[in-house]
Amino acid sequence: MEPSDGRSRVIIEGVEPRVEAGRFPVKRIIGDTVYVTAAIYGDGHDHVAAQVLYRNDTWHEWRSVRMKPLGNDLWAAHFTVDTIGNWQFHVQGWIDHFDTWAADLSKRLAAQTNNISYDKAQAESLEQGGSLQDKSDVLLAFLSGASLLERLATSSEGEDRSRLEEFSGSLRQLADQNSGRFENPVTEELTILASRYPDLRFAAQSNNYRIRVDRTKARFSTWYEFFPRSSGENGEHGTLRHATKLIPELASRGFDVIYLPPIHPIGHAFRKGKNNNVSAQPEDVGSPWAIGNHHGGHTAIAPELGGFADFDAMVSAAQDSDVEIAMDIAFQCSPDHPWVKEHPEWFSIRPDGSIQYAENPPKKYQDIYPLNFESSDWHGLWEELCNVFLFWAERGIRIFRVDNPHTKALPFWEWCIKKVQRTYPDALFLAEAFTRPHVMYGLAKRGFSQSYTYFSWRNTKAELTAYMTELTTPPVRDFFRPNLWPNTPDILPEVLQKGERPAFMQRAILAATLGANYGIYGPPFELMEHRPLREGSEEYLYSEKYQVRSWDREHINSLMPLLATLNDARHRHSALQQDDTLHFHDVDNPQILCFSKRSDEDIVLVVVNLDNSTAQSGWTRLDMEVMGLSRDESYQVHDILSGQTYAWTGPYNYVRLDPLIMPAHIFHLRGIGVHGSEANS
Amino acid sequence: MEPSDGRSRVIIEGVEPRVEAGRFPVKRIIGDTVYVTAAIYGDGHDHVAAQVLYRNDTWHEWRSVRMKPLGNDLWAAHFTVDTIGNWQFHVQGWIDHFDTWAADLSKRLAAQTNNISYDKAQAESLEQGGSLQDKSDVLLAFLSGASLLERLATSSEGEDRSRLEEFSGSLRQLADQNSGRFENPVTEELTILASRYPDLRFAAQSNNYRIRVDRTKARFSTWYEFFPRSSGENGEHGTLRHATKLIPELASRGFDVIYLPPIHPIGHAFRKGKNNNVSAQPEDVGSPWAIGNHHGGHTAIAPELGGFADFDAMVSAAQDSDVEIAMDIAFQCSPDHPWVKEHPEWFSIRPDGSIQYAENPPKKYQDIYPLNFESSDWHGLWEELCNVFLFWAERGIRIFRVDNPHTKALPFWEWCIKKVQRTYPDALFLAEAFTRPHVMYGLAKRGFSQSYTYFSWRNTKAELTAYMTELTTPPVRDFFRPNLWPNTPDILPEVLQKGERPAFMQRAILAATLGANYGIYGPPFELMEHRPLREGSEEYLYSEKYQVRSWDREHINSLMPLLATLNDARHRHSALQQDDTLHFHDVDNPQILCFSKRSDEDIVLVVVNLDNSTAQSGWTRLDMEVMGLSRDESYQVHDILSGQTYAWTGPYNYVRLDPLIMPAHIFHLRGIGVHGSEANS
C-alpha cells in the first residue's frame, strides 16, 4: 500500500524518552526539563530540520521547539513541564529546502571568491567527474532562492511577510547583476526569518509519546510509618487524636509523609491473636489489614481510633506542619466486611456456596477474603474500589500506600490511577509489591508514582551497586521511582537482627542518601528493635500488626538525632533530592561503598563502611568528570555527619570508617567553581 | 477508559524478535527456527500459560505452539518458517485455572501424606498466620476441579470430551469418599488433555509482529562482479555473449551470483572520458551508470552489448551453471534518457526551465539527472521505477543490486520491494548505500535483503571486531544482512593499494569467512590491480567505469586458486554460511585476529595475521564453551588452506603466520563429539 503522501521523505526513529515504545507515559516531576532525542534523516544530501511539538493535555494548542543536530543523524531538543498532569509530545521532521539552498549557495560563492586555481579544480574534476560551476549557475541559484522565499512569504504575515518579499526581491535583483563577484546575501536576519516559516507540507511525524508529570514529592519524600493505636499514653489503646500529637515533632525531624497502616474497622471472624496466633483472645485488637466489620469497610474509621472529626483534625494538623498523611489502601476483606453481604459476586465462591478465603495450600487464612478480579461484575468492583481512593481524596488525602497491588489485576490499576488523578492531579500512589521484577515494573508502568524496592535485602557492595544502577538508569528510571525502606512491619531484615546499632545507622544512611524517596517503620527502627518472631523469620516478635505496643521514643539511645541530621541534609542538598545522577565510584576495599549525587553545583559524596563490626579503610578512585571536577583538582569535603572538613585532591583519597563511631561520611564538596565555596551545608 | 474486558489479567511484554517495536519485519531465511520470547505474568499466585500463534500470510488459519517458562516471568517457544514470504506471529497469555488448581491440589495432598508433625505445623502457622487445611478443604478442591473440567469439556469434542467428563466424574466421586488419605487423581493423561483445551475467554494478546522469510541466498551468497564490455577478445568491446562464456568457469570456482554493472544504453550528452575526464573523446564508451539514450532507458539493453536474445541466453546459461545474474539498478538518467522528454515532471526544473543536473556545489555533474521524489506525479514515478524491477524479474532476474538507494526516498523502497516480492517472493535486493549508519540501517529495515558494509575500510583488529560484532548481534542482525566487499569499481582501499599480494589474500580471506555474503569486483582483484587514479584517491586508474579493459585472467599470479579454495570451504562448511554465531577469541597479539563460526557440529576457527609485511605469532585464548568444547578438551584443527592438521588442547595454543606464505589459518575442528572426527573438510 502506498503511503498517503510519498513526498514525505524524512525518517524519524528511536524517539526518547519513552516507555515500552510509547505504550506507557514516562514519569517526570513539575519543573523538569524533558530532553527529547531522535534519529532523523532523509535521503540524499538535502538538509533536514526537526521540531518537538508538546502540550499539556489541558491545552488546546501545541507548543514547538526546534531540534538541534548532535551529529550522526541524532537530534535533540528540550522543554519544561511546568504543570502537574498528563503531557504528550511528538517529533516532526522535514526537508529544509531553504537551509539546503543557503548552504549550497555559500559553497558556490566560496568557490567564486576563494580563487580556486585551475589546476586544482581540474584535478578534483578528474577525480569526481564534475565540472566547476560557472556564473550562470550562481545566477540561477539566486532565482531558486527567490522562489523559495516567495513560498515562505505566503505562509507569513505582516512585517515578516514584507521582509521575506524584500529578500526575495533583492535575490532577483542579484540575478540580474553583471558584476564579477557576489557577496553572500543570506544574512542572519534572513536565516532566522526563514526558519520561522518552515515548509511543512511533506513533514513526517513520529508517534505521540506521553509524560506523566507529578508534584515534587513523587521524587523526593521522607516517610515515617507508625501505628496510631500504639500512640496512646501509658500503654493504652491509642487514637487518631494521640497520633495527631506526634505530627509536629516528626515534621520537625524532617519527615514529610506520615504513613498510617489501615485505620478501618477490623474484622472479628478468625481474628488473629498476638504474634499472629490463629486463635485470638477476647482482648486482642486484630490486624488492621483484616478490613471491615459491622461498623463499615474501606470508607469507615475503626471506632476505637476515633471518628471523621478526629480524622479531619489530623489531616489539618498535618497541613499545619507541612507534612502529609499517607493512607494504606489494602483491597481485601475480613469475613465481616459489608461488601461480603452486599456483593458476594465480587468474591470467589467455593463449591459449597461459601466464600473462598485466602489460601497458600496447604495453608489457609480464613480471616481474609481476596477479591475476585474475574467477577462477572468487574465493572462494579472496579468502580467501588476506585471510589475508595476518591472518598479519602475528598477528605484531603493525596498519598496512598497500596498494599499488595500485585495481587489485583494490573489493568485495574492503570484505569484506576488515571481516573483518580483526573480529579486529583496531585494524588500519589506507592506500590507495596515485594514480588518479581517484571511485576513490580509492570505496576510502575501502569501508574504507581513510587514503589517499594528490594533495597531491604541488598547489603553487599556488589548488590547495592548493581541494583541501584538498574533503578536509576534507563529504561527503569523513566517509569519506576524507588522508595527505600530499611524495615517495614513485615520486614525485619537479617542485617538489622544481627547488626546492632552500627547496622541501623548504616541502613538509615544508605536509604536516606541512595534514595531520594525513603522511609522507615519508625518506632521500632528508632529504638533498634531487632527481635524476630523466631530464628530465620523476618517478622517482628510482638509485632504491632497484632497488638498494641508502647514505645519509649524519648529513650537516650534513639536513632532520631541521626535520622533528623540525615533528613536535614536531604532538605538542604538538592543533590539528594533526585536519583538520576547517582554514580558509584571505585574504592579498593570491597567493604566500602562510595557514591555521589549531583545537582548543578551541589555535589554530595557518600562513603559507607558496609562492615558493621570492624573499622575499614581504603583509597577512593573518584570519577572526577562525573562530579564536574578536573583530573587533579583540589577541593574540600565537608562531612555533614561529623562536621569535619578535609582537603582532598584528585581521585585518590584515603578514607577510614569505624562503625562503632560512625559508619559513613556524607561529604558536601566545597571549593568547586565560583559558587562552590559559598554553598550551604 | 475501561478496557473491553477487565478480566483479561495477563500482561505480555517485550516480545522478541522484533524490529523497532514491530514497525518492521524481522528477517529470516527458509527453514530457520524462529525463537520467540516474551515476559508474561499475571497478578497474584495464579499460574499463567501462553502460546505463540503464527502463520504465513497465505494461510487462512493460525498455527499455535505452547510457550515454556524460562524463569523470572520469561517464556519461550519456537517454530519453523518453511516457506518463502511474509509471516506474522503474536503471543497469547492467559490464567491457567486448571494448572493452578492441579498445583494447589498436589500441595494439599502432599501435606496430607507427608505427615507434617503438629509442632512444625504450629510453628509455621504462627509465622504465617495461616491454619493448616482440613479434610473438607480437600473435598471441596475435588469439586472445584470437577467444575473446571466440565467447563473444558464444553469446548472439546468426541473422545476428549468423554474422557474429560469421566475425569470430572471421578473427582466428584472422590469428593464423596470418606477414606483417610487420597492419591493424587491428576494423571499425565489428564494434564495433557486439559492443556489441549485452554480457557481463552480472558486471554491477553500481544501486538502482531512480522517476519520476512527469504530464500537461502539472502544469507549465503558469493558474488563476482565484472564489466561485460571488458570480456571481449583481443581488447575489443565485449558483449553479453562474451560475458556468458565466463559463467561456467566462475561457477566452477564457487561464485554463485554474477553481478553486472548496468547494461542499459549509455548517454551521449556530457559523456565522461577515460579516467572520468569531463570531456570525452569520440571513441569513449561512457559510464554505464549514465543511463539512457535514444535506444531506451532502464528497460533497454545497450546495442553494443547485444539484444534480448543474448540476455535471455545469458540468464539461461547461468541457470545451467546453477548461478544467478544480479542486475544493477541505478535510478538516475543521462540527459538523453527517454524519461527526460516523456516525464520532465519527474525531475527538478531550474528557474530557466532547464532540468537540474546532479550537483555537489561548487561541482556539477551534467551527465546525470537525478529523479525528484517530491514530484507532483510521485505516484507515476514510483510505479514506473517499480516496473523496472518487474520488467527484469519477468525476464528471469531475481537479484538486484541497487545503486545509491539512499539518494531516493526511503518510503519508496519499502513500498517497492514489498510490491516486487508480492509477485516474485524470491526476489532479493542488495543495497549499495555507503553512507551513515542510520541511513544504511533504515534502508535494510525497509526491505533490502542484503547491504554493502564498511568492511572495505575496517582493517585493524579493534575495527573489525567492533564492527562485525555490531552487525551480527541484535538488534542489527534481525534486519541487516551484511555483504562484505574487499573492493568495488568505486573502492580501491588504501590497504590494497599499499599491501601487495598478502593484503589481497588477507582481505579475501576476511571477507569470505567473516561474511556469509561476500563479493569481489573480480578481474582487478584476482589480478591484484592496485594503481589508484592519483595518490590519496580510492578510484582505480584506467577505471572500467569509463573505458574497456582487457584482463589476463589466466595469469600465473591470479588469486583465483585461493578464491576457489575459500569458496569451496564456504560451500562445504555450514558454519560459514551464516553470521549469527560469529565469535571473536582473544589472541595476545594485536596483529592477529581470531574468530569462530559454528553450525551444530561444524566448527570453523579462523586466525588471520593483519600485518601484511611481517610474520606474527601469539597465543590464542579460545572461548571453549562457545565452540561446544570442555575447558581442557583436546581436538584436532585441520587447516583448510595448508592442508595441515595440528593437535590442540584447551584454550591456549600457539600460532605463527607469515604473510609472505599464507596470512591465515582456516581451521576446521575435528575430533569433537561423536560426529566430529567424521566431518567433511
Side-chain angles (χ1 to χ4, degrees), chain A residues 60 77 175 228 244 277 311 609:
Chain A
H60 294 295
T244 303
N277 200 301
F311 182 86
N609 177 1

PDB file of all heavy atoms in Angstrom, chain A residues 60 77 175 228 244 277 311 609:
ATOM      1  N   HIS A  60      -5.124  23.714  24.353  1.00  0.00           N
ATOM      2  CA  HIS A  60      -5.771  23.495  23.065  1.00  0.00           C
ATOM      3  C   HIS A  60      -4.770  23.463  21.922  1.00  0.00           C
ATOM      4  O   HIS A  60      -5.064  22.963  20.854  1.00  0.00           O
ATOM      5  CB  HIS A  60      -6.834  24.573  22.820  1.00  0.00           C
ATOM      6  CG  HIS A  60      -7.966  24.474  23.797  1.00  0.00           C
ATOM      7  ND1 HIS A  60      -8.808  23.392  23.843  1.00  0.00           N
ATOM      8  CD2 HIS A  60      -8.363  25.304  24.794  1.00  0.00           C
ATOM      9  CE1 HIS A  60      -9.695  23.559  24.826  1.00  0.00           C
ATOM     10  NE2 HIS A  60      -9.437  24.712  25.420  1.00  0.00           N
ATOM     11  N   ALA A  77      16.158  18.225  21.497  1.00  0.00           N
ATOM     12  CA  ALA A  77      15.513  19.466  21.937  1.00  0.00           C
ATOM     13  C   ALA A  77      15.026  19.223  23.357  1.00  0.00           C
ATOM     14  O   ALA A  77      15.005  18.089  23.833  1.00  0.00           O
ATOM     15  CB  ALA A  77      14.340  19.827  21.031  1.00  0.00           C
ATOM     16  N   ALA A 175      20.302  38.393  -9.407  1.00  0.00           N
ATOM     17  CA  ALA A 175      20.336  37.523 -10.586  1.00  0.00           C
ATOM     18  C   ALA A 175      20.462  38.328 -11.874  1.00  0.00           C
ATOM     19  O   ALA A 175      20.898  37.801 -12.897  1.00  0.00           O
ATOM     20  CB  ALA A 175      19.088  36.641 -10.629  1.00  0.00           C
ATOM     21  N   PRO A 228      -1.233   4.152  64.764  1.00  0.00           N
ATOM     22  CA  PRO A 228      -1.885   5.108  65.662  1.00  0.00           C
ATOM     23  C   PRO A 228      -2.293   4.459  66.989  1.00  0.00           C
ATOM     24  O   PRO A 228      -2.218   5.096  68.038  1.00  0.00           O
ATOM     25  CB  PRO A 228      -3.125   5.566  64.873  1.00  0.00           C
ATOM     26  CG  PRO A 228      -2.851   5.235  63.463  1.00  0.00           C
ATOM     27  CD  PRO A 228      -1.878   4.105  63.451  1.00  0.00           C
ATOM     28  N   THR A 244      -2.196  12.365  66.170  1.00  0.00           N
ATOM     29  CA  THR A 244      -2.071  13.743  65.692  1.00  0.00           C
ATOM     30  C   THR A 244      -1.034  14.514  66.496  1.00  0.00           C
ATOM     31  O   THR A 244      -0.302  15.352  65.961  1.00  0.00           O
ATOM     32  CB  THR A 244      -3.448  14.428  65.757  1.00  0.00           C
ATOM     33  OG1 THR A 244      -4.369  13.654  64.986  1.00  0.00           O
ATOM     34  CG2 THR A 244      -3.386  15.847  65.220  1.00  0.00           C
ATOM     35  N   ASN A 277      -1.076 -15.375  66.140  1.00  0.00           N
ATOM     36  CA  ASN A 277      -1.672 -16.624  66.589  1.00  0.00           C
ATOM     37  C   ASN A 277      -3.040 -16.806  65.947  1.00  0.00           C
ATOM     38  O   ASN A 277      -3.814 -15.863  65.853  1.00  0.00           O
ATOM     39  CB  ASN A 277      -1.795 -16.601  68.124  1.00  0.00           C
ATOM     40  CG  ASN A 277      -1.943 -18.006  68.666  1.00  0.00           C
ATOM     41  OD1 ASN A 277      -2.884 -18.703  68.298  1.00  0.00           O
ATOM     42  ND2 ASN A 277      -1.014 -18.403  69.507  1.00  0.00           N
ATOM     43  N   PHE A 311     -10.279  12.477  62.301  1.00  0.00           N
ATOM     44  CA  PHE A 311      -9.521  12.302  61.077  1.00  0.00           C
ATOM     45  C   PHE A 311      -9.242  13.652  60.418  1.00  0.00           C
ATOM     46  O   PHE A 311      -8.105  13.967  60.047  1.00  0.00           O
ATOM     47  CB  PHE A 311     -10.289  11.374  60.127  1.00  0.00           C
ATOM     48  CG  PHE A 311      -9.566  11.105  58.852  1.00  0.00           C
ATOM     49  CD1 PHE A 311      -8.627  10.087  58.767  1.00  0.00           C
ATOM     50  CD2 PHE A 311      -9.811  11.857  57.707  1.00  0.00           C
ATOM     51  CE1 PHE A 311      -7.942   9.848  57.593  1.00  0.00           C
ATOM     52  CE2 PHE A 311      -9.141  11.625  56.532  1.00  0.00           C
ATOM     53  CZ  PHE A 311      -8.192  10.610  56.466  1.00  0.00           C
ATOM     54  N   ASN A 609      30.979   2.379  55.249  1.00  0.00           N
ATOM     55  CA  ASN A 609      31.575   1.101  55.624  1.00  0.00           C
ATOM     56  C   ASN A 609      30.442   0.086  55.797  1.00  0.00           C
ATOM     57  O   ASN A 609      29.584   0.240  56.667  1.00  0.00           O
ATOM     58  CB  ASN A 609      32.346   1.263  56.946  1.00  0.00           C
ATOM     59  CG  ASN A 609      32.930  -0.059  57.435  1.00  0.00           C
ATOM     60  OD1 ASN A 609      32.784  -1.091  56.783  1.00  0.00           O
ATOM     61  ND2 ASN A 609      33.599  -0.004  58.584  1.00  0.00           N
TER      62      ASN A 609
END
